[in-house]
Amino acid sequence: SAVISQKPSRDICQRGTSLTIQCQVDSQVTMMFWYRQQPGQSLTLIATANQGSEATYESGFVIDKFPISRPNLTFSTLTVSNMSPEDSSIYLCSVVKDNLSYEQYFGPGTRLTVT
Amino acid sequence: AQSVTQLGSHVSVSEGALVLLRCNYSSSVPPYLFWYVQYPNQGLQLLLKYTSAATLVKGINGFEAEFKKSETSFHLTKPSAHMSDAAEYFCAVSDRNSSASKIIFGSGTRLSIRP
């Protein structure tokens, strides 16, 4: 398994500001992902965080709104830019340790409220 | 495109009764399939996964699921519900032909347990 921590665990932000969420893993992993879970909804994949290169975004998500970094094999950040109340969600980081297992481990999530 | 459909957004059973949560997938080839559980205010935890070995998969906490290709189903069951099973359950699918390990989640089923 993998132990994943996210910071902050929750935050309340004003519209128009930006928040950077950190994801730290206790061991090197092959892949890291960022998901959004809107209130009462399922998880939607935002992007795949690629080490040393630009993230791969899913349809409906763009780099200007959700810039992502992954400087090494254990750490990634997601920034939610120019926030609006519609961005109020739980943001989850997940990792895959090896490509053979296809097993993803999830962090505890960051609960974001935008006022 | 791959997808999963979870029938029933909310299931309520009595303590000690059978739990059955339904999941059907749509894929041109048998995919990898997963069940995740999310307890209130927590991240996701993997219950079990199907990766083309045995069609009956046993997971944690007494849960199991059976892969039925003819029915394109991967229903989750537990013989006897416990109060601690109350949570949100997500069925998910991953394309075995993709190296990206992306997981697509179903809409989720909230399981309630009646005393």
Side-chain angles (χ1 to χ4, degrees), chain A residues 4-5 22-25 27-35 45 47-51 55-56 68-77 93-97 104-105, chain B residues 100:
Chain A
I4 305 166
S5 61
Q22 298 180 1
C23 176
Q24 179 72 56
V25 194
S27 59
Q28 293 185 351
V29 296
T30 57
M31 307 195 74
M32 298 182 78
F33 303 91
W34 286 98
Y35 287 83
L45 180 63
T48 302
N50 300 310
Q51 190 215 350
T56 304
I68 289 171
S69 77
R70 188 182 173 191
N72 56 49
L73 294 177
T74 63
F75 185 78
S76 177
T77 66
C93 167
S94 74
V95 305
V96 172
K97 295 202 73 175
Q104 283 195 25
Y105 301 95

PDB file of all heavy atoms in Angstrom, chain A residues 4-5 22-25 27-35 45 47-51 55-56 68-77 93-97 104-105, chain B residues 100:
ATOM      1  N   ILE A   4      -0.526   8.304   2.028  1.00  0.00           N
ATOM      2  CA  ILE A   4      -0.620   9.565   1.312  1.00  0.00           C
ATOM      3  C   ILE A   4      -1.155  10.635   2.256  1.00  0.00           C
ATOM      4  O   ILE A   4      -2.161  10.413   2.941  1.00  0.00           O
ATOM      5  CB  ILE A   4      -1.564   9.431   0.105  1.00  0.00           C
ATOM      6  CG1 ILE A   4      -1.116   8.284  -0.797  1.00  0.00           C
ATOM      7  CG2 ILE A   4      -1.622  10.728  -0.685  1.00  0.00           C
ATOM      8  CD1 ILE A   4      -2.155   7.872  -1.816  1.00  0.00           C
ATOM      9  N   SER A   5      -0.500  11.766   2.269  1.00  0.00           N
ATOM     10  CA  SER A   5      -0.998  12.883   3.058  1.00  0.00           C
ATOM     11  C   SER A   5      -1.281  14.063   2.149  1.00  0.00           C
ATOM     12  O   SER A   5      -0.631  14.236   1.108  1.00  0.00           O
ATOM     13  CB  SER A   5       0.021  13.273   4.136  1.00  0.00           C
ATOM     14  OG  SER A   5       1.241  13.673   3.555  1.00  0.00           O
ATOM     15  N   GLN A  22      -1.188  20.257  -1.508  1.00  0.00           N
ATOM     16  CA  GLN A  22      -0.005  19.407  -1.609  1.00  0.00           C
ATOM     17  C   GLN A  22      -0.375  17.940  -1.376  1.00  0.00           C
ATOM     18  O   GLN A  22      -1.238  17.629  -0.545  1.00  0.00           O
ATOM     19  CB  GLN A  22       1.032  19.823  -0.567  1.00  0.00           C
ATOM     20  CG  GLN A  22       1.543  21.232  -0.728  1.00  0.00           C
ATOM     21  CD  GLN A  22       2.568  21.592   0.346  1.00  0.00           C
ATOM     22  OE1 GLN A  22       2.911  20.779   1.206  1.00  0.00           O
ATOM     23  NE2 GLN A  22       3.059  22.812   0.288  1.00  0.00           N
ATOM     24  N   CYS A  23       0.297  17.069  -2.089  1.00  0.00           N
ATOM     25  CA  CYS A  23       0.121  15.625  -1.933  1.00  0.00           C
ATOM     26  C   CYS A  23       1.499  15.002  -1.760  1.00  0.00           C
ATOM     27  O   CYS A  23       2.359  15.154  -2.628  1.00  0.00           O
ATOM     28  CB  CYS A  23      -0.579  15.048  -3.153  1.00  0.00           C
ATOM     29  SG  CYS A  23      -0.753  13.250  -3.128  1.00  0.00           S
ATOM     30  N   GLN A  24       1.696  14.312  -0.646  1.00  0.00           N
ATOM     31  CA  GLN A  24       2.984  13.695  -0.335  1.00  0.00           C
ATOM     32  C   GLN A  24       2.767  12.197  -0.112  1.00  0.00           C
ATOM     33  O   GLN A  24       1.877  11.792   0.636  1.00  0.00           O
ATOM     34  CB  GLN A  24       3.578  14.317   0.932  1.00  0.00           C
ATOM     35  CG  GLN A  24       4.903  13.732   1.368  1.00  0.00           C
ATOM     36  CD  GLN A  24       6.048  14.138   0.467  1.00  0.00           C
ATOM     37  OE1 GLN A  24       6.308  15.317   0.251  1.00  0.00           O
ATOM     38  NE2 GLN A  24       6.750  13.149  -0.088  1.00  0.00           N
ATOM     39  N   VAL A  25       3.623  11.377  -0.746  1.00  0.00           N
ATOM     40  CA  VAL A  25       3.532   9.921  -0.614  1.00  0.00           C
ATOM     41  C   VAL A  25       4.766   9.418   0.129  1.00  0.00           C
ATOM     42  O   VAL A  25       5.849   9.992  -0.013  1.00  0.00           O
ATOM     43  CB  VAL A  25       3.445   9.240  -1.990  1.00  0.00           C
ATOM     44  CG1 VAL A  25       3.017   7.772  -1.845  1.00  0.00           C
ATOM     45  CG2 VAL A  25       2.480   9.974  -2.896  1.00  0.00           C
ATOM     46  N   SER A  27       6.435   6.766  -0.370  1.00  0.00           N
ATOM     47  CA  SER A  27       7.374   6.005  -1.187  1.00  0.00           C
ATOM     48  C   SER A  27       7.218   6.424  -2.642  1.00  0.00           C
ATOM     49  O   SER A  27       6.218   7.049  -3.005  1.00  0.00           O
ATOM     50  CB  SER A  27       7.125   4.509  -1.036  1.00  0.00           C
ATOM     51  OG  SER A  27       5.796   4.199  -1.417  1.00  0.00           O
ATOM     52  N   GLN A  28       8.186   6.067  -3.460  1.00  0.00           N
ATOM     53  CA  GLN A  28       8.122   6.450  -4.868  1.00  0.00           C
ATOM     54  C   GLN A  28       6.986   5.713  -5.573  1.00  0.00           C
ATOM     55  O   GLN A  28       6.779   4.521  -5.340  1.00  0.00           O
ATOM     56  CB  GLN A  28       9.457   6.153  -5.554  1.00  0.00           C
ATOM     57  CG  GLN A  28      10.602   7.021  -5.056  1.00  0.00           C
ATOM     58  CD  GLN A  28      11.885   6.791  -5.833  1.00  0.00           C
ATOM     59  OE1 GLN A  28      11.978   5.868  -6.652  1.00  0.00           O
ATOM     60  NE2 GLN A  28      12.875   7.630  -5.601  1.00  0.00           N
ATOM     61  N   VAL A  29       6.283   6.424  -6.417  1.00  0.00           N
ATOM     62  CA  VAL A  29       5.158   5.849  -7.145  1.00  0.00           C
ATOM     63  C   VAL A  29       5.307   6.160  -8.617  1.00  0.00           C
ATOM     64  O   VAL A  29       5.971   7.122  -9.002  1.00  0.00           O
ATOM     65  CB  VAL A  29       3.802   6.378  -6.616  1.00  0.00           C
ATOM     66  CG1 VAL A  29       3.582   5.946  -5.172  1.00  0.00           C
ATOM     67  CG2 VAL A  29       3.717   7.897  -6.735  1.00  0.00           C
ATOM     68  N   THR A  30       4.657   5.329  -9.439  1.00  0.00           N
ATOM     69  CA  THR A  30       4.788   5.546 -10.880  1.00  0.00           C
ATOM     70  C   THR A  30       3.867   6.655 -11.367  1.00  0.00           C
ATOM     71  O   THR A  30       4.238   7.444 -12.226  1.00  0.00           O
ATOM     72  CB  THR A  30       4.485   4.257 -11.649  1.00  0.00           C
ATOM     73  OG1 THR A  30       3.165   3.810 -11.293  1.00  0.00           O
ATOM     74  CG2 THR A  30       5.489   3.174 -11.326  1.00  0.00           C
ATOM     75  N   MET A  31       2.646   6.694 -10.829  1.00  0.00           N
ATOM     76  CA  MET A  31       1.684   7.650 -11.351  1.00  0.00           C
ATOM     77  C   MET A  31       0.977   8.361 -10.204  1.00  0.00           C
ATOM     78  O   MET A  31       0.738   7.783  -9.150  1.00  0.00           O
ATOM     79  CB  MET A  31       0.651   6.953 -12.240  1.00  0.00           C
ATOM     80  CG  MET A  31       1.280   6.119 -13.353  1.00  0.00           C
ATOM     81  SD  MET A  31       0.134   5.652 -14.637  1.00  0.00           S
ATOM     82  CE  MET A  31      -0.050   7.202 -15.482  1.00  0.00           C
ATOM     83  N   MET A  32       0.634   9.611 -10.463  1.00  0.00           N
ATOM     84  CA  MET A  32      -0.140  10.393  -9.500  1.00  0.00           C
ATOM     85  C   MET A  32      -1.273  11.068 -10.251  1.00  0.00           C
ATOM     86  O   MET A  32      -1.113  11.528 -11.385  1.00  0.00           O
ATOM     87  CB  MET A  32       0.729  11.449  -8.807  1.00  0.00           C
ATOM     88  CG  MET A  32       1.867  10.852  -7.990  1.00  0.00           C
ATOM     89  SD  MET A  32       2.854  12.094  -7.130  1.00  0.00           S
ATOM     90  CE  MET A  32       1.777  12.483  -5.733  1.00  0.00           C
ATOM     91  N   PHE A  33      -2.441  11.133  -9.603  1.00  0.00           N
ATOM     92  CA  PHE A  33      -3.636  11.702 -10.203  1.00  0.00           C
ATOM     93  C   PHE A  33      -4.283  12.686  -9.237  1.00  0.00           C
ATOM     94  O   PHE A  33      -4.133  12.579  -8.019  1.00  0.00           O
ATOM     95  CB  PHE A  33      -4.658  10.600 -10.525  1.00  0.00           C
ATOM     96  CG  PHE A  33      -4.160   9.512 -11.432  1.00  0.00           C
ATOM     97  CD1 PHE A  33      -3.569   8.372 -10.910  1.00  0.00           C
ATOM     98  CD2 PHE A  33      -4.292   9.619 -12.807  1.00  0.00           C
ATOM     99  CE1 PHE A  33      -3.115   7.360 -11.733  1.00  0.00           C
ATOM    100  CE2 PHE A  33      -3.846   8.608 -13.641  1.00  0.00           C
ATOM    101  CZ  PHE A  33      -3.248   7.478 -13.110  1.00  0.00           C
ATOM    102  N   TRP A  34      -5.053  13.593  -9.826  1.00  0.00           N
ATOM    103  CA  TRP A  34      -5.874  14.500  -9.029  1.00  0.00           C
ATOM    104  C   TRP A  34      -7.337  14.347  -9.449  1.00  0.00           C
ATOM    105  O   TRP A  34      -7.659  14.358 -10.641  1.00  0.00           O
ATOM    106  CB  TRP A  34      -5.433  15.948  -9.217  1.00  0.00           C
ATOM    107  CG  TRP A  34      -4.147  16.265  -8.522  1.00  0.00           C
ATOM    108  CD1 TRP A  34      -2.897  16.308  -9.065  1.00  0.00           C
ATOM    109  CD2 TRP A  34      -3.985  16.582  -7.138  1.00  0.00           C
ATOM    110  NE1 TRP A  34      -1.966  16.623  -8.114  1.00  0.00           N
ATOM    111  CE2 TRP A  34      -2.611  16.804  -6.919  1.00  0.00           C
ATOM    112  CE3 TRP A  34      -4.875  16.705  -6.063  1.00  0.00           C
ATOM    113  CZ2 TRP A  34      -2.102  17.146  -5.666  1.00  0.00           C
ATOM    114  CZ3 TRP A  34      -4.363  17.037  -4.822  1.00  0.00           C
ATOM    115  CH2 TRP A  34      -2.997  17.260  -4.622  1.00  0.00           C
ATOM    116  N   TYR A  35      -8.199  14.199  -8.442  1.00  0.00           N
ATOM    117  CA  TYR A  35      -9.631  14.058  -8.655  1.00  0.00           C
ATOM    118  C   TYR A  35     -10.383  15.168  -7.939  1.00  0.00           C
ATOM    119  O   TYR A  35      -9.912  15.713  -6.934  1.00  0.00           O
ATOM    120  CB  TYR A  35     -10.138  12.711  -8.092  1.00  0.00           C
ATOM    121  CG  TYR A  35      -9.748  11.490  -8.882  1.00  0.00           C
ATOM    122  CD1 TYR A  35      -8.516  10.888  -8.707  1.00  0.00           C
ATOM    123  CD2 TYR A  35     -10.642  10.916  -9.789  1.00  0.00           C
ATOM    124  CE1 TYR A  35      -8.170   9.744  -9.417  1.00  0.00           C
ATOM    125  CE2 TYR A  35     -10.304   9.769 -10.500  1.00  0.00           C
ATOM    126  CZ  TYR A  35      -9.067   9.199 -10.306  1.00  0.00           C
ATOM    127  OH  TYR A  35      -8.736   8.065 -11.012  1.00  0.00           O
ATOM    128  N   LEU A  45     -11.930  12.700 -12.631  1.00  0.00           N
ATOM    129  CA  LEU A  45     -10.497  12.859 -12.827  1.00  0.00           C
ATOM    130  C   LEU A  45     -10.202  14.218 -13.433  1.00  0.00           C
ATOM    131  O   LEU A  45     -10.763  14.566 -14.472  1.00  0.00           O
ATOM    132  CB  LEU A  45      -9.951  11.748 -13.718  1.00  0.00           C
ATOM    133  CG  LEU A  45      -8.457  11.767 -14.018  1.00  0.00           C
ATOM    134  CD1 LEU A  45      -7.657  11.577 -12.733  1.00  0.00           C
ATOM    135  CD2 LEU A  45      -8.097  10.687 -15.034  1.00  0.00           C
ATOM    136  N   ALA A  47      -6.708  15.403 -13.768  1.00  0.00           N
ATOM    137  CA  ALA A  47      -5.495  15.279 -14.585  1.00  0.00           C
ATOM    138  C   ALA A  47      -4.570  14.222 -14.009  1.00  0.00           C
ATOM    139  O   ALA A  47      -4.682  13.826 -12.841  1.00  0.00           O
ATOM    140  CB  ALA A  47      -4.769  16.612 -14.653  1.00  0.00           C
ATOM    141  N   THR A  48      -3.657  13.786 -14.861  1.00  0.00           N
ATOM    142  CA  THR A  48      -2.558  12.926 -14.459  1.00  0.00           C
ATOM    143  C   THR A  48      -1.334  13.809 -14.285  1.00  0.00           C
ATOM    144  O   THR A  48      -0.977  14.558 -15.207  1.00  0.00           O
ATOM    145  CB  THR A  48      -2.273  11.873 -15.543  1.00  0.00           C
ATOM    146  OG1 THR A  48      -3.463  11.111 -15.771  1.00  0.00           O
ATOM    147  CG2 THR A  48      -1.149  10.941 -15.117  1.00  0.00           C
ATOM    148  N   ALA A  49      -0.723  13.730 -13.106  1.00  0.00           N
ATOM    149  CA  ALA A  49       0.457  14.545 -12.833  1.00  0.00           C
ATOM    150  C   ALA A  49       1.687  13.802 -13.339  1.00  0.00           C
ATOM    151  O   ALA A  49       1.996  12.710 -12.869  1.00  0.00           O
ATOM    152  CB  ALA A  49       0.577  14.816 -11.339  1.00  0.00           C
ATOM    153  N   ASN A  50       2.407  14.360 -14.276  1.00  0.00           N
ATOM    154  CA  ASN A  50       3.571  13.724 -14.875  1.00  0.00           C
ATOM    155  C   ASN A  50       4.833  14.325 -14.290  1.00  0.00           C
ATOM    156  O   ASN A  50       4.978  15.546 -14.216  1.00  0.00           O
ATOM    157  CB  ASN A  50       3.554  13.920 -16.392  1.00  0.00           C
ATOM    158  CG  ASN A  50       2.306  13.321 -17.022  1.00  0.00           C
ATOM    159  OD1 ASN A  50       1.960  12.176 -16.761  1.00  0.00           O
ATOM    160  ND2 ASN A  50       1.628  14.094 -17.847  1.00  0.00           N
ATOM    161  N   GLN A  51       5.763  13.459 -13.914  1.00  0.00           N
ATOM    162  CA  GLN A  51       6.998  13.965 -13.334  1.00  0.00           C
ATOM    163  C   GLN A  51       7.832  14.668 -14.382  1.00  0.00           C
ATOM    164  O   GLN A  51       8.123  14.102 -15.447  1.00  0.00           O
ATOM    165  CB  GLN A  51       7.803  12.845 -12.696  1.00  0.00           C
ATOM    166  CG  GLN A  51       8.967  13.344 -11.865  1.00  0.00           C
ATOM    167  CD  GLN A  51      10.171  12.419 -11.932  1.00  0.00           C
ATOM    168  OE1 GLN A  51      10.082  11.319 -12.450  1.00  0.00           O
ATOM    169  NE2 GLN A  51      11.290  12.866 -11.409  1.00  0.00           N
ATOM    170  N   ALA A  55       1.240  18.305 -16.933  1.00  0.00           N
ATOM    171  CA  ALA A  55       0.211  17.329 -16.595  1.00  0.00           C
ATOM    172  C   ALA A  55      -0.690  17.066 -17.799  1.00  0.00           C
ATOM    173  O   ALA A  55      -0.796  17.878 -18.717  1.00  0.00           O
ATOM    174  CB  ALA A  55      -0.624  17.835 -15.423  1.00  0.00           C
ATOM    175  N   THR A  56      -1.337  15.903 -17.768  1.00  0.00           N
ATOM    176  CA  THR A  56      -2.283  15.535 -18.823  1.00  0.00           C
ATOM    177  C   THR A  56      -3.686  15.754 -18.295  1.00  0.00           C
ATOM    178  O   THR A  56      -4.118  15.057 -17.368  1.00  0.00           O
ATOM    179  CB  THR A  56      -2.095  14.057 -19.214  1.00  0.00           C
ATOM    180  OG1 THR A  56      -0.738  13.852 -19.603  1.00  0.00           O
ATOM    181  CG2 THR A  56      -3.025  13.699 -20.362  1.00  0.00           C
ATOM    182  N   ILE A  68      -0.721  22.110 -12.224  1.00  0.00           N
ATOM    183  CA  ILE A  68      -0.242  20.955 -11.456  1.00  0.00           C
ATOM    184  C   ILE A  68       1.264  20.856 -11.603  1.00  0.00           C
ATOM    185  O   ILE A  68       1.808  21.056 -12.677  1.00  0.00           O
ATOM    186  CB  ILE A  68      -0.917  19.661 -11.953  1.00  0.00           C
ATOM    187  CG1 ILE A  68      -2.391  19.616 -11.556  1.00  0.00           C
ATOM    188  CG2 ILE A  68      -0.189  18.418 -11.433  1.00  0.00           C
ATOM    189  CD1 ILE A  68      -3.169  18.493 -12.187  1.00  0.00           C
ATOM    190  N   SER A  69       1.912  20.532 -10.500  1.00  0.00           N
ATOM    191  CA  SER A  69       3.352  20.253 -10.563  1.00  0.00           C
ATOM    192  C   SER A  69       3.608  18.882  -9.982  1.00  0.00           C
ATOM    193  O   SER A  69       2.866  18.389  -9.134  1.00  0.00           O
ATOM    194  CB  SER A  69       4.140  21.310  -9.790  1.00  0.00           C
ATOM    195  OG  SER A  69       4.048  21.073  -8.378  1.00  0.00           O
ATOM    196  N   ARG A  70       4.687  18.264 -10.461  1.00  0.00           N
ATOM    197  CA  ARG A  70       5.159  17.004  -9.896  1.00  0.00           C
ATOM    198  C   ARG A  70       6.681  16.977 -10.056  1.00  0.00           C
ATOM    199  O   ARG A  70       7.208  16.411 -11.005  1.00  0.00           O
ATOM    200  CB  ARG A  70       4.527  15.793 -10.565  1.00  0.00           C
ATOM    201  CG  ARG A  70       4.895  14.505  -9.824  1.00  0.00           C
ATOM    202  CD  ARG A  70       4.334  13.270 -10.471  1.00  0.00           C
ATOM    203  NE  ARG A  70       4.879  12.089  -9.805  1.00  0.00           N
ATOM    204  CZ  ARG A  70       4.750  10.844 -10.253  1.00  0.00           C
ATOM    205  NH1 ARG A  70       4.083  10.622 -11.388  1.00  0.00           N
ATOM    206  NH2 ARG A  70       5.259   9.836  -9.588  1.00  0.00           N
ATOM    207  N   PRO A  71       7.381  17.551  -9.100  1.00  0.00           N
ATOM    208  CA  PRO A  71       8.831  17.669  -9.228  1.00  0.00           C
ATOM    209  C   PRO A  71       9.594  16.369  -9.013  1.00  0.00           C
ATOM    210  O   PRO A  71      10.728  16.245  -9.457  1.00  0.00           O
ATOM    211  CB  PRO A  71       9.184  18.681  -8.125  1.00  0.00           C
ATOM    212  CG  PRO A  71       8.083  18.541  -7.126  1.00  0.00           C
ATOM    213  CD  PRO A  71       6.847  18.229  -7.916  1.00  0.00           C
ATOM    214  N   ASN A  72       8.991  15.399  -8.336  1.00  0.00           N
ATOM    215  CA  ASN A  72       9.673  14.121  -8.104  1.00  0.00           C
ATOM    216  C   ASN A  72       8.651  12.994  -8.000  1.00  0.00           C
ATOM    217  O   ASN A  72       7.465  13.202  -8.293  1.00  0.00           O
ATOM    218  CB  ASN A  72      10.545  14.210  -6.838  1.00  0.00           C
ATOM    219  CG  ASN A  72       9.744  14.617  -5.616  1.00  0.00           C
ATOM    220  OD1 ASN A  72       8.701  14.050  -5.341  1.00  0.00           O
ATOM    221  ND2 ASN A  72      10.241  15.621  -4.891  1.00  0.00           N
ATOM    222  N   LEU A  73       9.097  11.812  -7.587  1.00  0.00           N
ATOM    223  CA  LEU A  73       8.231  10.630  -7.598  1.00  0.00           C
ATOM    224  C   LEU A  73       7.383  10.478  -6.340  1.00  0.00           C
ATOM    225  O   LEU A  73       6.664   9.493  -6.199  1.00  0.00           O
ATOM    226  CB  LEU A  73       9.086   9.370  -7.790  1.00  0.00           C
ATOM    227  CG  LEU A  73       9.785   9.277  -9.139  1.00  0.00           C
ATOM    228  CD1 LEU A  73      10.659   8.029  -9.200  1.00  0.00           C
ATOM    229  CD2 LEU A  73       8.774   9.232 -10.279  1.00  0.00           C
ATOM    230  N   THR A  74       7.460  11.440  -5.415  1.00  0.00           N
ATOM    231  CA  THR A  74       6.689  11.316  -4.177  1.00  0.00           C
ATOM    232  C   THR A  74       5.838  12.540  -3.861  1.00  0.00           C
ATOM    233  O   THR A  74       5.163  12.574  -2.833  1.00  0.00           O
ATOM    234  CB  THR A  74       7.613  11.065  -2.972  1.00  0.00           C
ATOM    235  OG1 THR A  74       8.484  12.206  -2.810  1.00  0.00           O
ATOM    236  CG2 THR A  74       8.464   9.810  -3.163  1.00  0.00           C
ATOM    237  N   PHE A  75       5.835  13.547  -4.712  1.00  0.00           N
ATOM    238  CA  PHE A  75       5.195  14.811  -4.354  1.00  0.00           C
ATOM    239  C   PHE A  75       4.536  15.453  -5.569  1.00  0.00           C
ATOM    240  O   PHE A  75       5.079  15.418  -6.675  1.00  0.00           O
ATOM    241  CB  PHE A  75       6.251  15.765  -3.769  1.00  0.00           C
ATOM    242  CG  PHE A  75       5.686  17.065  -3.254  1.00  0.00           C
ATOM    243  CD1 PHE A  75       5.043  17.131  -2.028  1.00  0.00           C
ATOM    244  CD2 PHE A  75       5.800  18.223  -4.009  1.00  0.00           C
ATOM    245  CE1 PHE A  75       4.534  18.326  -1.545  1.00  0.00           C
ATOM    246  CE2 PHE A  75       5.300  19.427  -3.542  1.00  0.00           C
ATOM    247  CZ  PHE A  75       4.667  19.476  -2.303  1.00  0.00           C
ATOM    248  N   SER A  76       3.355  16.055  -5.309  1.00  0.00           N
ATOM    249  CA  SER A  76       2.666  16.778  -6.358  1.00  0.00           C
ATOM    250  C   SER A  76       1.823  17.890  -5.727  1.00  0.00           C
ATOM    251  O   SER A  76       1.448  17.804  -4.553  1.00  0.00           O
ATOM    252  CB  SER A  76       1.751  15.843  -7.162  1.00  0.00           C
ATOM    253  OG  SER A  76       1.016  16.557  -8.145  1.00  0.00           O
ATOM    254  N   THR A  77       1.580  18.928  -6.503  1.00  0.00           N
ATOM    255  CA  THR A  77       0.681  19.982  -6.043  1.00  0.00           C
ATOM    256  C   THR A  77      -0.369  20.264  -7.095  1.00  0.00           C
ATOM    257  O   THR A  77      -0.122  20.124  -8.301  1.00  0.00           O
ATOM    258  CB  THR A  77       1.424  21.302  -5.745  1.00  0.00           C
ATOM    259  OG1 THR A  77       1.963  21.835  -6.959  1.00  0.00           O
ATOM    260  CG2 THR A  77       2.532  21.100  -4.726  1.00  0.00           C
ATOM    261  N   CYS A  93      -5.976  13.356  -4.083  1.00  0.00           N
ATOM    262  CA  CYS A  93      -4.787  12.879  -4.769  1.00  0.00           C
ATOM    263  C   CYS A  93      -4.814  11.350  -4.729  1.00  0.00           C
ATOM    264  O   CYS A  93      -5.223  10.754  -3.722  1.00  0.00           O
ATOM    265  CB  CYS A  93      -3.563  13.419  -4.039  1.00  0.00           C
ATOM    266  SG  CYS A  93      -1.996  12.678  -4.485  1.00  0.00           S
ATOM    267  N   SER A  94      -4.401  10.714  -5.810  1.00  0.00           N
ATOM    268  CA  SER A  94      -4.280   9.259  -5.791  1.00  0.00           C
ATOM    269  C   SER A  94      -2.980   8.860  -6.485  1.00  0.00           C
ATOM    270  O   SER A  94      -2.420   9.630  -7.273  1.00  0.00           O
ATOM    271  CB  SER A  94      -5.467   8.590  -6.486  1.00  0.00           C
ATOM    272  OG  SER A  94      -5.377   8.734  -7.884  1.00  0.00           O
ATOM    273  N   VAL A  95      -2.510   7.659  -6.149  1.00  0.00           N
ATOM    274  CA  VAL A  95      -1.244   7.193  -6.708  1.00  0.00           C
ATOM    275  C   VAL A  95      -1.367   5.741  -7.148  1.00  0.00           C
ATOM    276  O   VAL A  95      -2.193   4.987  -6.628  1.00  0.00           O
ATOM    277  CB  VAL A  95      -0.080   7.323  -5.689  1.00  0.00           C
ATOM    278  CG1 VAL A  95       0.021   8.759  -5.188  1.00  0.00           C
ATOM    279  CG2 VAL A  95      -0.238   6.348  -4.539  1.00  0.00           C
ATOM    280  N   VAL A  96      -0.535   5.388  -8.101  1.00  0.00           N
ATOM    281  CA  VAL A  96      -0.356   4.002  -8.507  1.00  0.00           C
ATOM    282  C   VAL A  96       1.098   3.655  -8.252  1.00  0.00           C
ATOM    283  O   VAL A  96       1.993   4.366  -8.730  1.00  0.00           O
ATOM    284  CB  VAL A  96      -0.695   3.801  -9.993  1.00  0.00           C
ATOM    285  CG1 VAL A  96      -0.312   2.401 -10.447  1.00  0.00           C
ATOM    286  CG2 VAL A  96      -2.179   4.040 -10.226  1.00  0.00           C
ATOM    287  N   LYS A  97       1.333   2.572  -7.508  1.00  0.00           N
ATOM    288  CA  LYS A  97       2.712   2.235  -7.158  1.00  0.00           C
ATOM    289  C   LYS A  97       3.433   1.561  -8.309  1.00  0.00           C
ATOM    290  O   LYS A  97       4.626   1.791  -8.520  1.00  0.00           O
ATOM    291  CB  LYS A  97       2.740   1.341  -5.919  1.00  0.00           C
ATOM    292  CG  LYS A  97       2.238   2.016  -4.659  1.00  0.00           C
ATOM    293  CD  LYS A  97       2.740   1.341  -3.417  1.00  0.00           C
ATOM    294  CE  LYS A  97       4.213   1.616  -3.199  1.00  0.00           C
ATOM    295  NZ  LYS A  97       4.709   1.077  -1.925  1.00  0.00           N
ATOM    296  N   GLN A 104      -5.048   1.812  -7.281  1.00  0.00           N
ATOM    297  CA  GLN A 104      -4.847   3.192  -6.869  1.00  0.00           C
ATOM    298  C   GLN A 104      -5.127   3.363  -5.391  1.00  0.00           C
ATOM    299  O   GLN A 104      -6.078   2.801  -4.858  1.00  0.00           O
ATOM    300  CB  GLN A 104      -5.771   4.130  -7.659  1.00  0.00           C
ATOM    301  CG  GLN A 104      -5.296   4.400  -9.064  1.00  0.00           C
ATOM    302  CD  GLN A 104      -5.989   5.578  -9.721  1.00  0.00           C
ATOM    303  OE1 GLN A 104      -6.479   6.484  -9.050  1.00  0.00           O
ATOM    304  NE2 GLN A 104      -6.031   5.557 -11.036  1.00  0.00           N
ATOM    305  N   TYR A 105      -4.278   4.154  -4.755  1.00  0.00           N
ATOM    306  CA  TYR A 105      -4.452   4.511  -3.352  1.00  0.00           C
ATOM    307  C   TYR A 105      -4.776   5.994  -3.289  1.00  0.00           C
ATOM    308  O   TYR A 105      -4.182   6.797  -4.009  1.00  0.00           O
ATOM    309  CB  TYR A 105      -3.178   4.201  -2.569  1.00  0.00           C
ATOM    310  CG  TYR A 105      -2.778   2.752  -2.626  1.00  0.00           C
ATOM    311  CD1 TYR A 105      -1.851   2.313  -3.568  1.00  0.00           C
ATOM    312  CD2 TYR A 105      -3.332   1.818  -1.761  1.00  0.00           C
ATOM    313  CE1 TYR A 105      -1.481   0.977  -3.638  1.00  0.00           C
ATOM    314  CE2 TYR A 105      -2.959   0.480  -1.821  1.00  0.00           C
ATOM    315  CZ  TYR A 105      -2.042   0.067  -2.762  1.00  0.00           C
ATOM    316  OH  TYR A 105      -1.689  -1.252  -2.832  1.00  0.00           O
TER     317      TYR A 105
ATOM    318  N   ALA B 100      -2.174   4.260 -18.876  1.00  0.00           N
ATOM    319  CA  ALA B 100      -2.358   5.437 -18.035  1.00  0.00           C
ATOM    320  C   ALA B 100      -2.948   5.114 -16.679  1.00  0.00           C
ATOM    321  O   ALA B 100      -2.949   5.956 -15.798  1.00  0.00           O
ATOM    322  CB  ALA B 100      -3.252   6.445 -18.752  1.00  0.00           C
TER     323      ALA B 100
END
